[in-house]
Amino acid sequence: MLSFFFRTFAPVKTVLDVHTHTIMSGHAYSTLQEMAQAAADKGLQILGITDHASSIPGSVQPVYFRNTHVIPREMYGIRLLIGAELNILDTHGTLDLEEFYYRLMDIRIAGIHKFCWTGGTRTQNTDGMIAAIENKWTDIISHPGDGVCELDFLPIVMAAKRTDTLLELNSSSLRPIRNKPMAIANNLEILRLCKKYDVPIILGSDAHISFDIANYQYALPLIEEAQFPGELIVNDKPELFFEIIERSGAERFYNRIPDSPY
């Protein structure tokens, strides 16, 4: 079982990583089965496969999400959650894909990506993210601190608390090679606000290859620097994770396809 340690806190054993990508995202390098096998080898209990929605260049067409009912939800002894990383497109919080597809997913992550984001002022950008947070289908906001656009984090953290939406500390976006100069400062601010207001977070590997599943090496130093309490991290608490996303308010129709020819 993977463990991560903090100087001031007890060890936390991660059992879930729900933000990962397969070759279907167009710029990732492992198949779904390779990802599941790697997660099992690493001792995880739960793996999320959240390939990019269609607004990302090279990613899948919507028909991909119509047919995910064929994927077993247990593989190699781990539970699979099949969903998407949706794109927040604008300052109104518009998400790509239609609600029809959200109903077919086990998990829905929403994030801002520079390839398909039309922004505005800091206030307008913040309003857009809050609108996405308030969308009943959004379970997790991916990499809110990566610095793609200017944001005010206090209202974002309070919106996440109000709606039971998890904010992600994304390890991949903190890699030096990603050249995101504001990512460390932004994520530390988010952590300190979440600590102050008792808002849980989730660590995300954002793995684009099987070897990176549950790899949080760039996130953990920030957890330690912020002295972030382990009880507010859900990666070792699957019951709490599911409780939070169920409280978010979305109807869930796992494995059900309404009138689909596929």
Side-chain angles (χ1 to χ4, degrees):
M1 186 72 68
L2 292 171
S3 297
F4 34 92
F5 296 82
F6 317 122
R7 187 170 55 245
T8 52
F9 301 103
V12 176
K13 295 181 179 179
T14 185
V15 297
L16 62 88
D17 184 6
V18 298
H19 183 179
T20 72
H21 299 272
T22 75
I23 55 173
M24 299 307 296
S25 284
H27 57 279
Y29 303 96
S30 300
T31 66
L32 187 151
Q33 286 177 253
E34 289 168 340
M35 297 292 278
Q37 183 65 71
D41 292 344
K42 292 185 177 190
L44 267 64
Q45 296 176 16
I46 299 160
L47 176 69
I49 300 292
T50 49
D51 283 309
H52 285 286
S54 308
S55 298
I56 293 289
S59 192
V60 296
Q61 295 300 307
V63 66
Y64 167 83
F65 298 105
R66 296 180 73 126
N67 201 43
T68 55
H69 68 98
V70 305
I71 301 170
R73 286 337 195 241
E74 183 174 333
M75 195 179 294
Y76 308 120
I78 67 167
R79 178 173 177 179
L80 283 181
L81 301 178
I82 307 298
E85 185 179 11
L86 304 163
N87 297 289
I88 306 173
L89 299 176
D90 53 38
T91 58
H92 301 290
T94 307
L95 303 181
D96 52 357
L97 295 181
E98 300 172 358
E99 186 172 296
F100 169 88
Y101 298 100
Y102 306 159
R103 292 175 177 270
L104 306 180
M105 297 175 185
D106 306 326
I107 187 167
R108 291 150 292 268
I109 300 174
I112 293 173
H113 297 90
K114 64 180 180 180
F115 298 105
C116 50
W117 162 251
T118 302
T121 66
R122 178 189 292 264
T123 298
Q124 290 170 331
N125 297 339
T126 302
D127 289 344
M129 181 163 282
I130 290 173
I133 290 171
E134 291 177 340
N135 187 317
K136 71 176 185 176
W137 295 104
T138 304
D139 299 311
I140 298 169
I141 294 292
S142 58
H143 42 74
D146 70 352
V148 170
C149 64
E150 293 186 334
L151 296 165
D152 290 319
F153 294 115
L154 177 58
I156 288 170
V157 167
M158 299 313 292
K161 181 179 179 70
R162 183 174 66 253
T163 61
D164 287 306
T165 304
L166 286 166
L167 298 178
E168 179 194 58
L169 178 59
N170 184 289
S171 192
S172 178
S173 64
L174 291 161
R175 292 174 183 265
I177 198 170
R178 299 292 302 279
N179 192 29
K180 295 180 178 291
M182 295 305 298
I184 291 177
N186 286 348
N187 280 289
L188 283 172
E189 182 178 355
I190 292 169
L191 288 172
R192 288 164 180 153
L193 288 167
C194 288
K195 177 181 175 181
K196 180 177 180 179
Y197 293 102
D198 201 35
V199 178
I201 67 160
I202 188 167
L203 303 180
S205 71
D206 201 355
H208 283 63
I209 193 166
S210 61
F211 304 105
D212 275 340
I213 290 172
N215 178 359
Y216 306 128
Q217 72 176 101
Y218 297 101
L220 298 181
L222 273 62
I223 292 287
E224 184 169 2
E225 182 173 345
Q227 296 189 349
F228 195 78
E231 60 266 25
L232 289 178
I233 302 172
V234 303
N235 296 74
D236 64 330
K237 306 173 185 67
E239 297 84 3
L240 177 60
F241 165 74
F242 284 113
E243 178 184 335
I244 289 170
I245 66 170
E246 291 294 338
R247 284 202 308 257
S248 68
E251 301 171 86
R252 296 173 190 274
F253 298 94
Y254 299 146
N255 303 321
R256 181 185 303 177
I257 297 192
D259 299 326
S260 172
Y262 300 99

